[in-house]
Amino acid sequence: MSFLDSILGQVGSNVDIKNLAEKVGISPEQAESAVAALAKAHPQPGDTVDAAAASTGLDSGILSQIVGHIGGEGALGQFASMLGGAGGNEGGGIMDKIGGLAGGLFGGEKN
């Protein structure tokens, strides 16, 4: 979790995964998965929260709260960019690896 915490810190949101999880009432593992799914979905067409909800199985209300806690859509865009999620990074990017891990945690397909 420290990897995502360090990226969140660089975005300037002063949020760490454990505290974020406590604020929205989910486990730290679910919060990590949610943040990764939101970052991966952000540059894709369609609604970011709905796409992340579909890939994680978490309620869209919880995911919307997470977006707010990390600083909104602008911060989410920075976060996605830092992880290589922006610009159609296909194949072997960090977001593909995180997305596969997140999918594995919730029984979804791995990329």
Side-chain angles (χ1 to χ4, degrees), residues 3-4 13 20 23 26 29 33 37 40 42 45 47 52 55 57 61 68 72 74 84-86 88-89 95 101 108:
F3 173 72
L4 289 178
S13 59
L20 177 62
K23 287 179 183 179
I26 58 178
E29 293 79 15
S33 175
K40 185 172 184 175
H42 184 74
D47 185 75
S55 71
N89 183 12
M95 286 311 300
L101 172 64

Side-chain angles (χ1 to χ4, degrees), residues 1-94:
M1 281 189 262
S2 63
F3 173 72
L4 289 178
D5 286 335
S6 69
I7 298 293
L8 284 172
Q10 290 178 30
V11 173
S13 59
N14 292 323
V15 174
D16 68 46
I17 294 295
K18 184 178 177 187
N19 289 333
L20 177 62
E22 289 176 10
K23 287 179 183 179
V24 299
I26 58 178
S27 73
E29 293 79 15
Q30 287 175 309
E32 183 175 309
S33 175
V35 169
L38 286 163
K40 185 172 184 175
H42 184 74
Q44 305 301 318
D47 185 75
T48 300
V49 170
D50 289 342
S55 71
T56 63
L58 291 171
D59 180 74
S60 61
I62 290 173
L63 292 166
S64 292
Q65 289 178 48
I66 290 171
V67 171
H69 284 299
I70 65 172
E73 288 287 330
L76 184 58
Q78 281 184 291
F79 184 66
S81 180
M82 292 173 81
L83 287 174
N89 183 12
E90 305 273 338
I94 189 78

